[in-house]
Amino acid sequence: MDTLRLSLDHPLRSFRLAVELELGRETVALMGPSGAGKTSVLRGIAGLLSPERGTVALGGERWLDTDAGIDLPPERRSVGLVFQDYALFPHLDVRGNVAFGGRARVEELLERFRISHVASARPGQLSGGERQRVALARALARDPAVLLLDEPLSALDAHTRAIVRAELAELLRELELPALLVTHDFEDAAALADRVGVLVAGRILQVGTPAGLLAAPADAFVAGFTGANLLQGSARPGPGGLTEVLLDGGGTAYSTDQASGRVGLAVYPWEVALGRAEASDSAVNHLRGEVRSLVSLGNRVRVRVGLVTAEVTAGSAERLGLREGDEVVASFKATAARLVPLG
């Protein structure tokens, strides 16, 4: 099985990019804030960036080895690259754009991506979803051994994004290629990737499955970036073997994690229940606060209560009669409260 191995060391504007990564026939997402170096990693693999030091190899074939003086140009690397803005040629129609990647599979790819009916249209006449499909078709027309995707869903509206995300997930499973995508959205990363790496200021903080990152974030940044509420406080031994956390914003919370001193307490919105009074269940954490906002997301509602965001069903929100300004109790279990070091 061909494995993509890369090691890149290169100065960027305010930090050094120092990344080592290995991909088999899987999809790996690099997730992080804007300016973290994610796109530079893709450019280093594709041959659009010549790093000060580094190696890029697919199986036994070296594309880059700065110590050996090897730096193959992009056209000699078996890479399909989908740019963030798709970078379609405005003077070519859809068929011409796909053919630019390679002529042998044009009709097959037009059919596969359901864009045959717009084959004669120019990019400016296409919807966002259609442009993304054209860009994918052009990348695959090269019959690449590696697929790189730079923020593949960021240019799409919310409705189109959900549809194309599902299509792209299915495509990546079918291709069984080493695929690396970059994103700043954990929902996209979790839906598309087998593993996720969190990249900050040129360095990978943690790599794991999406579920693994949720269950055990390495630090406060990873917890926050994967969508957790993050409450800062001071930890000390508590009753019944629990850890007691005196929260900076007031109140006390408990966790089954062991820690002492300054910590971040991470709890995900879907693990927070809301009530007009403290529930008589197994939850030991009860934070009383005012409803600051309610945002409906389909059949779910995200409710901001003090410093905590809860995600509850629309039915639950309706039964509680939630309104901004109401005082409610946000409750969660000690097992849902993960303690992470503060960066």
Side-chain angles (χ1 to χ4, degrees):
M1 179 180 71
D2 286 338
T3 298
L4 178 68
R5 297 181 178 85
L6 61 121
S7 174
L8 302 173
D9 187 351
H10 188 72
L12 297 179
R13 194 163 47 185
S14 57
F15 53 82
R16 289 193 73 87
L17 179 69
V19 168
E20 293 188 4
L21 198 58
E22 187 172 304
L23 293 79
R25 293 185 181 273
E26 60 180 331
T27 299
V28 174
L30 275 185
M31 183 184 73
S34 298
K38 304 184 301 295
T39 296
S40 295
V41 174
L42 297 188
R43 289 170 57 83
I45 297 169
L48 301 174
L49 169 72
S50 294
E52 276 190 359
R53 297 188 60 191
T55 58
V56 177
L58 181 68
E61 182 182 353
R62 289 182 295 172
W63 295 347
L64 172 73
D65 187 335
T66 52
D67 289 342
I70 297 171
D71 189 0
L72 299 185
E75 63 270 18
R76 292 185 57 195
R77 303 187 186 198
S78 184
V79 167
L81 174 59
V82 177
F83 294 91
Q84 181 175 354
D85 60 359
Y86 308 139
L88 301 177
F89 299 111
H91 64 288
L92 296 178
D93 61 15
V94 167
R95 181 175 278 105
N97 268 279
V98 177
F100 187 86
R103 297 186 176 278
R105 302 177 58 199
V106 171
E107 298 307 319
E108 171 203 339
L109 290 167
L110 290 175
E111 185 70 26
R112 178 174 190 172
F113 285 96
R114 302 191 308 282
I115 49 176
S116 296
H117 65 292
V118 292
S120 299
R122 299 287 177 88
Q125 300 171 294
L126 304 178
S127 69
E130 288 168 340
R131 286 194 294 272
Q132 205 242 29
R133 293 184 184 102
V134 175
L136 281 166
R138 183 178 64 182
L140 293 178
R142 295 193 67 190
D143 198 20
V146 173
L147 183 62
L148 307 176
L149 303 109
D150 189 359
E151 298 277 9
L153 304 174
S154 64
L156 304 176
D157 62 79
H159 174 70
T160 306
R161 187 185 190 118
I163 296 171
V164 175
R165 183 195 290 129
E167 293 175 349
L168 184 55
E170 183 178 350
L171 173 68
L172 291 170
R173 286 193 297 269
E174 289 176 6
L175 290 174
E176 293 187 325
L177 294 175
L180 183 65
L181 69 93
V182 302
T183 181
H184 61 271
D185 189 301
F186 182 70
E187 187 175 353
D188 289 344
L192 297 173
D194 302 291
R195 292 188 294 143
V196 179
V198 181
L199 183 72
V200 179
R203 283 170 168 74
I204 295 178
L205 300 183
Q206 185 175 1
V207 179
T209 64
L213 264 62
L214 290 174
D219 63 11
F221 185 90
V222 175
F225 218 79
T226 54
N229 294 291
L230 192 66
L231 307 175
Q232 296 187 17
S234 298
R236 64 188 184 188
L242 299 177
T243 298
E244 180 181 66
V245 182
L246 304 177
L247 300 173
D248 291 353
T252 303
Y254 300 91
S255 173
T256 53
D257 292 351
Q258 300 299 303
S260 62
R262 296 293 296 168
V263 296
L265 184 150
V267 58
Y268 289 93
W270 54 87
E271 294 173 322
V272 180
L274 298 180
R276 293 289 180 175
E278 291 186 9
S280 56
D281 57 16
S282 57
V284 297
N285 294 308
H286 306 287
L287 303 179
R288 187 175 294 274
E290 183 180 290
V291 175
R292 295 183 176 181
S293 66
L294 298 98
V295 179
S296 295
L297 300 168
N299 63 351
R300 313 286 292 178
V301 180
R302 292 179 73 89
V303 186
R304 185 72 173 173
V305 178
L307 299 177
V308 175
T309 296
E311 187 174 290
V312 299
T313 65
S316 293
E318 186 175 348
R319 282 193 299 274
L320 288 168
L322 296 179
R323 299 291 184 271
E324 288 189 17
D326 289 355
E327 186 174 275
V328 297
V329 177
S331 302
F332 53 94
K333 297 179 180 181
T335 52
R338 299 159 180 87
L339 301 184
V340 295
L342 295 173

